[in-house]
């Protein structure tokens, strides 16, 4: 309240309480949300044994939190925008007794966001969330002259990507993503 022109971003929110706080906060307070927090809950990390490639910080939470995040992201509110937090770690740093936190999503971030938005019938809100609200908050010009087109076309994510002298395991390794970027 003392500094209304200070731009505040709560990066990578992961709880329904954070959603409610940002909704009720002054207009200078916004939040970013990752695609993995929109698509997965703690069961993805824990059921059937700990899955290190789903370990991230903030950690995946209960389904009620995922649902609140998805509702906020797809609401059309300019208080919420894309924050990929894609974190590439070599496989040996993830699959260890004290693994690194982070999920690698850069290979399919927009496609994964499209899946999340489509799941609640809100594809019409995807462009604002991904392209406008963050730039607007930071006072940056919106991109012009270049567009990205997504199409509903499945593709299988590789099991791994080369990463220096090692490899990294991406989100959805060996599994299908429902959307593709048109070249």
């Amino acid at each position: 309240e003392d500094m209304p022109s200070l731009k505040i971003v709560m990066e990578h929110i992961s709880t329904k309480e954070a959603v409610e706080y940002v909704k009720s906060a002054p207009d200078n307070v916004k939040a970013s949300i990752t695609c993995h927090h929109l698509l997965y809950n703690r069961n993805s990390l824990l059921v059937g044994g700990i899955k290190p490639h789903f370990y991230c910080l903030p950690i995946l939470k209960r389904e009620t939190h995922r649902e609140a995040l998805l509702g906020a992201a797809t609401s059309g509110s300019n208080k919420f925008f894309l924050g990929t937090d894609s974190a590439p770690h070599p496989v040996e740093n993830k699959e260890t007794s004290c693994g690194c936190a982070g999920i690698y999503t850069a290979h399919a971030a927009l496609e994964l966001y499209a899946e999340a938005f489509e799941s609640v019938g809100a594809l019409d809100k995807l462009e604002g969330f991904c392209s406008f609200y963050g730039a607007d908050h930071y006072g940056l010009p919106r991109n012009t002259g270049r567009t990205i087109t997504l199409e509903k076309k499945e593709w299988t994510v590789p099991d791994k990507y080369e990463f220096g002298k090692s490899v990294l395991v991406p989100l959805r390794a060996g599994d299908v993503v429902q959307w593709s970027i048109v070249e």
Side-chain angles (χ1 to χ4, degrees), residues 7-9 27-33 71-83 117 122-143:
K7 296 174 191 250
I8 299 169
V9 176
D27 196 47
N28 64 317
V29 178
K30 309 280 171 81
S32 70
I33 306 174
T74 61
S75 68
S77 169
N78 70 353
K79 295 191 72 111
F80 303 97
F81 51 83
L82 177 150
F117 278 66
L123 282 172
D124 61 316
K125 306 286 193 308
L126 181 64
E127 184 178 25
F129 178 84
C130 291
S131 302
F132 301 153
Y133 307 150
D136 293 349
H137 176 69
Y138 290 112
L140 299 172
R142 292 180 177 181
N143 289 327

Side-chain angles (χ1 to χ4, degrees), residues 39 70 74 111-126 151-153 178-179:
L39 292 167
L70 187 58
T74 61
E111 298 95 316
L112 292 166
Y113 279 111
E115 281 189 19
F117 278 66
E118 180 186 40
S119 75
V120 293
L123 282 172
D124 61 316
K125 306 286 193 308
L126 181 64
E151 70 176 337
K152 183 80 183 246
K153 181 180 174 189
Q178 300 295 320
W179 286 85

Side-chain angles (χ1 to χ4, degrees), residues 52-53 88-100 160-169:
H53 298 286
H89 294 292
V91 69
E92 64 270 14
N93 291 353
K94 291 289 288 178
E95 297 175 3
T96 182
S97 63
C98 188
C100 292
K160 61 186 177 221
Y161 288 105
E162 297 298 318
F163 189 64
K165 295 181 181 179
S166 185
V167 296
L168 62 83
V169 176

Side-chain angles (χ1 to χ4, degrees), residues 170-182:
L171 184 65
R172 296 258 179 100
D175 208 349
V176 171
V177 173
Q178 300 295 320
W179 286 85
S180 299
I181 293 178
V182 176

